């Protein structure tokens, strides 16, 4: 009897230990933390940003300032899905120029617009597939108060309402000057894209605007009919209008877009464009599936942080200043994403997508080095 009791107790311990709830076991995350300065991470970040800029129809090209966070989910035989958080800067190039962000100049510090993008990027090297399923970006202009504290004498143009009569006058005067100096073609206004004002020797207004080509030559200007409202913009002009006493000074320069005929099958993604480490190869669209869907994404422009809250709260709640959210799923176990259209063969291929990692889960090897380091243009 004395021997039976210890045996019975041992049996009970084994039984309850073997049937312990599986929820107590912690399942490791399939998302691998990557170094933000790793060569492949920088490469896929650059490709993702090209996709983001290509997808947009309004605004200015965004350039990569640094990789803030990077995770990789290796999809067995189907490549990898990257979860990227990118710190970006607005450049002087309009997205309609179709220029690569690497060929565009970022704005000077006191005119900077900076922000953060979150993007999912799928890569399959053996199949030469690059694809951005989704992205979201949030942008802010640089803090005027911070610039003034750092450099009281630095020029700091104030944002101006695009419908302000003085802004429209600066547009009209500068465009008229360009048309007067043009030998043949004439141009008309499409849209004002940016405006600011500053006191120099008097009030000065600085404007940027899209233009379209007039159907008439300069000699026909007086009898020219109005341009069709559906015509495409052909260039971006930058003009200024300033006054000094009774004198008026007008300046203007225009940058014309290169016409590029894009393949509609690859217009909204970098599918099959190929990384630099293997030859580019364009594959025909598979016959069994539709063309790649339009990217899921948006770019949100927010006002100057100084305009949103008083000085006393500038250091409080910085994480909320860039509310960039990107979740194709909220299922912690992940959901499948159909990528069959990316493959030539008539097969069904799916990858697994998890909720986007939160800021608190940032990789220990991130953020990476910045191209332009300044606390005024780097999100927290």
């Amino acid at each position: 009897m004395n021997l039976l009791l210890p045996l019975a107790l041992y049996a009970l311990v084994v039984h309850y230990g073997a049937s312990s709830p599986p929820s107590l076991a912690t399942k490791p995350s399939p998302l691998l933390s990557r170094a933000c300065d790793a060569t492949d991470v920088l490469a896929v970040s650059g490709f993702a940003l090209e996709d983001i800029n290509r997808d947009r129809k309004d605004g200015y090209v965004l350039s990569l300032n640094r990789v803030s966070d990077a995770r990789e989910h290796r999809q067995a035989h189907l490549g990898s899905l990257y979860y990227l958080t990118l710190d970006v800067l607005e450049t002087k190039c309009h997205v309609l120029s179709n220029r690569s962000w690497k060929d565009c100049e970022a704005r000077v510090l006191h005119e900077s617009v900076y922000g953060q993008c979150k993007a999912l990027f799928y890569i399959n090297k053996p199949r030469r597939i690059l694809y951005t399923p989704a992205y979201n970006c949030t942008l802010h202009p640089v803090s005027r108060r911070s610039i003034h504290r750092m450099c009281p004498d630095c020029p700091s143009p104030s944002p101006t309402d695009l419908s302000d009569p003085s802004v429209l006058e600066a547009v009209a005067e500068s465009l008229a000057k360009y048309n007067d100096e043009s030998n043949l073609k004439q141009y008309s206004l499409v849209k004002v894209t940016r405006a600011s004002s500053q006191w120099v020797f008097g009030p000065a207004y600085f404007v940027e605007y899209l233009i379209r080509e007039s159907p008439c030559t300069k000699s026909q200007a007086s009898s020219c009919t109005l341009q069709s409202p559906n015509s495409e913009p052909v260039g971006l002009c930058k003009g200024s209008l300033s006054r000094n006493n009774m004198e008026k000074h007008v300046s203007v320069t225009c940058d014309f877009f290169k016409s590029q005929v894009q393949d509609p099958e690859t217009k909204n993604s970098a599918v099959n464009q190929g990384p630099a480490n293997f030859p580019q190869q364009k594959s025909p669209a598979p016959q069994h599936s539709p063309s790649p869907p339009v990217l899921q994404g948006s770019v949100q422009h927010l006002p100057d942080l100084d305009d949103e809250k008083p000085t006393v709260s500038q250091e409080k709640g910085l994480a909320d200043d860039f509310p960039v959210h990107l979740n194709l799923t909220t299922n912690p176990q992940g959901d499948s994403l159909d990528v069959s259209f990316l493959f030539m063969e008539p097969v069904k291929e799916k990858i697994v997508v998890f909720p986007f990692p939160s800021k608190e889960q940032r990789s220990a090897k991130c953020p990476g080095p910045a191209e332009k380091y300044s606390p005024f243009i780097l999100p927290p």
Side-chain angles (χ1 to χ4, degrees):
M1 182 68 180
N2 291 335
L3 291 175
L4 292 178
L5 182 59
L7 289 175
L9 291 175
Y10 176 77
L12 288 173
V13 170
V14 172
H15 171 75
Y16 284 105
S19 60
S20 59
S23 59
L24 297 178
T26 302
K27 187 177 181 180
S29 172
L31 304 185
L32 304 176
S33 296
R34 296 299 312 277
C36 282
D37 59 352
T39 302
D40 62 328
V41 170
L42 292 174
V44 297
S45 298
F47 285 126
L49 197 54
E50 293 285 9
D51 265 4
I52 291 172
N53 286 320
R54 187 183 296 110
D55 183 58
R56 298 165 59 213
K57 302 298 180 287
D58 192 23
Y60 293 85
V61 171
L62 300 177
S63 66
L64 179 62
N65 193 22
R66 72 176 180 185
V67 179
S68 184
D69 191 32
R71 306 299 179 91
E72 180 185 5
H73 183 199
R74 294 170 184 169
Q75 307 274 332
H77 66 287
L78 289 177
S80 292
L81 181 66
Y82 284 83
Y83 297 70
L84 303 169
T85 302
L86 311 176
D87 292 340
V88 297
L89 291 172
E90 191 177 85
T91 70
K92 298 179 180 180
C93 301
H94 198 276
V95 293
L96 295 181
S97 68
N98 292 317
R99 290 180 179 170
S100 168
W101 62 267
K102 296 180 181 179
D103 299 326
C104 295
E105 181 185 357
R107 298 186 182 275
V108 294
L109 180 61
H110 65 274
E111 295 180 349
S112 292
V113 175
Y114 69 108
Q116 199 165 78
C117 294
K118 289 185 177 180
L120 294 175
F121 188 80
Y122 173 58
I123 180 171
N124 187 324
K125 286 187 178 182
R127 299 301 184 93
R128 295 174 170 80
I129 292 174
L130 303 174
Y131 177 59
T132 304
Y135 70 91
N136 269 331
C137 304
T138 298
L139 305 176
H140 273 294
V142 69
S143 166
R144 299 189 303 277
R145 183 181 290 121
S146 298
I147 293 294
H148 182 72
R149 283 200 300 261
M150 177 193 71
C151 179
D153 296 329
C154 288
S156 181
S158 301
T160 307
D161 186 351
L162 300 184
S163 62
D164 187 299
S166 297
V167 168
L168 299 179
E169 181 186 11
V171 171
E173 292 277 359
S174 59
L175 184 55
K177 177 181 175 66
Y178 190 87
N179 281 331
D180 287 342
E181 296 174 352
S182 175
N183 292 327
L184 292 174
K185 295 181 179 180
Q186 299 289 284
Y187 302 92
S188 59
L189 174 67
V190 176
K191 178 183 179 182
V192 182
T193 59
R194 184 181 173 97
S196 60
S197 62
Q198 186 178 357
W199 188 271
V200 187
F201 299 106
Y205 291 86
F206 308 91
V207 292
E208 297 182 19
Y209 51 92
L210 296 171
I211 57 171
R212 61 167 63 99
E213 187 175 326
S214 169
C216 306
T217 63
K218 187 173 182 178
S219 61
Q220 300 171 319
S222 59
S223 59
C224 185
T225 58
L226 293 176
Q227 175 74 0
S228 169
N230 296 323
S231 60
E232 295 293 328
V234 297
L236 179 74
C237 291
K238 300 177 182 181
S240 68
L241 172 63
S242 59
R243 287 185 171 85
N244 183 11
N245 296 325
M246 299 300 293
E247 295 183 6
K248 181 168 61 176
H249 304 276
V250 180
S251 69
V252 63
T253 59
C254 293
D255 180 28
F256 289 88
F257 307 146
K258 294 180 181 179
S259 58
Q260 296 182 4
V261 179
Q262 292 181 308
D263 184 346
E265 294 173 358
T266 59
K267 184 176 181 181
N268 292 312
S269 68
V271 175
N272 295 322
Q273 290 186 358
N277 61 347
F278 53 82
Q280 293 189 7
Q281 175 179 325
K282 182 180 176 183
S283 302
Q287 300 300 316
H288 68 285
S289 60
S291 298
V294 175
L295 303 189
Q296 298 183 43
S298 65
V299 176
Q300 182 182 15
H301 291 262
L302 300 180
D304 189 332
L305 295 176
D306 297 333
D307 298 335
E308 290 188 318
K309 51 180 177 273
T311 308
V312 293
S313 62
Q314 285 293 304
E315 301 300 326
K316 184 179 180 181
L318 286 176
D320 297 330
D321 293 339
F322 289 88
V324 191
H325 303 291
L326 181 62
N327 274 327
L328 294 187
T329 179
T330 57
N331 182 2
Q333 304 302 317
D335 283 323
S336 60
L337 177 67
D338 190 351
V339 292
S340 302
F341 62 86
L342 300 175
F343 296 82
M344 294 180 61
E345 301 84 357
V347 294
K348 288 292 184 181
E349 299 287 9
K350 295 182 179 181
I351 59 176
V352 178
V353 181
F354 286 89
F356 206 95
S358 66
K359 185 183 292 287
E360 292 73 20
Q361 298 173 316
R362 185 155 59 183
S363 170
K365 301 177 181 179
C366 292
E371 289 292 324
K372 293 183 179 293
Y373 180 80
S374 169
F376 304 132
I377 56 175
L378 286 174

